[in-house]
Every structure is written in C-alpha cells, then in structure tokens.
Amino acid sequence: MEKEDALNALAALGQETRLDVFRLLVKAGKEGMTAGAISDDLSVRPNTLSTHLGVLSRSGLVQAERDGRSICYRASLEAMQGLVTYLLQDCCGGNPELCAPIVSLVAGGGCEPGGAC
Amino acid sequence: MEKEDALNALAALGQETRLDVFRLLVKAGKEGMTAGAISDDLSVRPNTLSTHLGVLSRSGLVQAERDGRSICYRASLEAMQGLVTYLLQDCCGGNPELCAPIVSLVAGGGCEPGGAC
DNA sequence: TCCATATTTCGAGAATACTCGAAATAACGA
DNA sequence: TCGTTATTTCGAGTATTCTCGAAATATGGA
C-alpha cells in the first residue's frame, strides 16, 4: 500500500459517521448492506450518507455493487489488511524488537475462529 | 481502546504532515526526536509543526518529554498497538473466519527481529 | 540579570469538509 | 409508458482545519 492510499484510508476512517459505517459493514460481513439499510441503521440522511460512502469507496475501504434498485456496500478486508500491514511495517522498520509485542498480541489473543475475539 | 480514542488517532494520522511526523518518529525509535529536528527534517515551520505535534500528542500517538531547552517527541507503540487491535477487533467481531489471513500475514511475514520486515 | 535558543500560543486568512434540501439518475413492475 | 423506490449529484451555507507571522513562554548560559 502506498502512502497516499494509507493517507486516504486513515482520513476516511477519521470521521465519526464514516467510522460508524465502516464498522457496521465489517459487522455485516460478506453479505454487506444496502445504502438504505445503512441509512436507517445509523439515522443518517441518504444524501449525506451517499457522500460518505463515496469517500469510503474512493479510499478502497468499501466496495459497491448494484443489486437491482439497491446498491450493496461491503467492507474490503483486503484494504483493511493493507492498512494494518502498512502501519505495522512502519512500526517494524526502525524497531523490530519493539514490534514483537504487537504481533504476539494480535496473533495470540486476537482471533480464534469462532472465538469471541 | 474506546471509539473516541480510535477516532482521534485515525483523524490525526489522516493528514499528510502528521503521518510524515509519526512515521519519522517511528523510525527514530525510542530515542525520539526534538521538535526542531523534526522541523528541519520535514521542512515544516516550527509553529505549524507545533500545532500538529499537539494534535498527535492529544491523540496519544506520540509522547512529549522536555529535555533542557528542547522537547523530545516519541511515537507511542502502545497507542499504535491499541489502534491496530481496535481495527482488528472490528474485523474479527463479525467475521472471525475472514480475519485469519490478516493475522497470519502479520504474524508470519511481518517482523522477524532484525529482518527486513 | 540579560541574552540567545527552542518551542508554543495567539489571531487571522484561506482552504477544505460536512450537512442539507432539491433535483437528477437508475431500476423495477404495472 | 408511467409511477414508485433507491440512490446519487448539485449548490449553498456553516463549520472545521490548515498555515502563517508575530508575540509569548521556558530553559540554560554568560
């Protein structure tokens, strides 16, 4: 991931409504959610939401797919992975020995399949 | 890490100068850098930099310590760890099976001590 | 105490971001 | 084709952010 991509992703997530949208989509998983469903869920007006969804889409953090009259949005786990990797690469670059605790925390306590994370 | 903390951290990193500062401090490691050194390195005016350092400090991503006439700034790996964990927790929450590739990538290819990451 | 260095705070101007109502576009079914 | 639903685009108003010069604060040394 290039610096500009990371910058766009971070800026996109650094706004409350968009962070809410992204987390909601992550929770929704691969089925995703329509713009209308997100709008209802978060009580954000459709046109305002559409602007935010555009920012998230352009940053690559979410992907849009039309399904009939609705448009389905999904969180891009690949983009998320890229962002986290970018941040951790920065971390490791100068201080490999300081990075270990982060990795072990993520790898050890994070995500057992089916676990409560 | 609470949502508001994550939001502040993401917003802080979602600005080019501040991302540059943060990456520079990560590279600098535990020795940190003085405000003046950062200013010289990035060619940012001292007063402008001071504003950005304030944002980063308030977000918890960097810590300041006075050393004589200078003030030394250091990246907080703990805050970084908290942010990454927060993002990955979101990831795992609804889709533990999708999270595995991220974790394995980070844990496997990320950071061998002394390695090139 | 006085001066030089290092950094921050203040105040203002310009640029950017956020939100909204209204109107436009796209898709489906009668 | 026409009407309905779903979403986006447009334009404007407000708020926030970014940057800067100037002034203030803090520290150390002569």
Side-chain angles (χ1 to χ4, degrees):
Chain A
M1 174 174 276
E2 300 298 321
K3 172 185 165 185
E4 192 178 339
D5 297 324
L7 197 51
N8 286 333
L10 290 165
L13 292 178
Q15 202 276 337
E16 185 165 17
T17 303
R18 289 194 296 262
L19 184 57
D20 289 341
V21 169
F22 186 73
R23 296 188 69 190
L24 189 61
L25 288 177
V26 167
K27 280 188 195 161
K30 33 189 159 183
E31 293 189 5
M33 289 178 73
T34 64
I38 299 169
S39 174
D40 290 345
D41 216 282
L42 299 179
S43 301
V44 179
R45 289 171 201 279
N47 56 352
T48 299
L49 177 64
S50 181
T51 303
H52 288 307
L53 286 170
V55 173
L56 285 167
S57 288
R58 259 172 269 125
S59 80
L61 285 169
V62 309
Q63 291 179 328
E65 183 189 8
R66 181 172 279 278
D67 176 25
R69 270 184 281 212
S70 299
I71 296 181
C72 184
Y73 285 90
R74 292 181 184 83
S76 167
L77 276 293
E78 294 76 17
M80 176 108 166
Q81 172 179 322
L83 180 58
V84 170
T85 302
Y86 178 87
L87 290 173
L88 289 176
Q89 277 177 346
D90 270 2
C91 161
C92 298
N95 310 284
E97 76 284 3
L98 289 179
C99 193
I102 299 183
V103 173
S104 64
L105 180 143
V106 171
C111 305
E112 293 121 73
C117 288
Chain B
M1 173 174 274
E2 300 298 323
K3 173 185 164 186
E4 191 178 341
D5 297 323
L7 197 51
N8 286 333
L10 291 165
L13 292 177
Q15 202 276 336
E16 186 166 17
T17 303
R18 289 194 295 261
L19 184 56
D20 289 341
V21 169
F22 186 73
R23 296 188 67 190
L24 189 61
L25 289 177
V26 166
K27 279 188 196 160
K30 34 189 159 183
E31 293 190 6
M33 288 177 73
T34 64
I38 300 169
S39 174
D40 290 344
D41 215 282
L42 299 179
S43 299
V44 179
R45 289 171 201 279
N47 55 350
T48 301
L49 178 65
S50 181
T51 302
H52 288 307
L53 287 170
V55 173
L56 286 167
S57 287
R58 261 176 306 239
S59 79
L61 285 168
V62 309
Q63 291 180 327
E65 183 189 9
R66 181 172 279 278
D67 176 26
R69 270 185 281 212
S70 300
I71 296 182
C72 185
Y73 285 90
R74 293 181 184 83
S76 167
L77 275 294
E78 294 76 17
M80 175 108 167
Q81 172 179 321
L83 180 59
V84 170
T85 302
Y86 178 87
L87 290 173
L88 289 176
Q89 277 177 345
D90 270 4
C91 161
C92 299
N95 311 283
E97 76 284 2
L98 289 178
C99 193
I102 299 183
V103 173
S104 64
L105 180 142
V106 171
C111 305
E112 293 120 73
C117 287

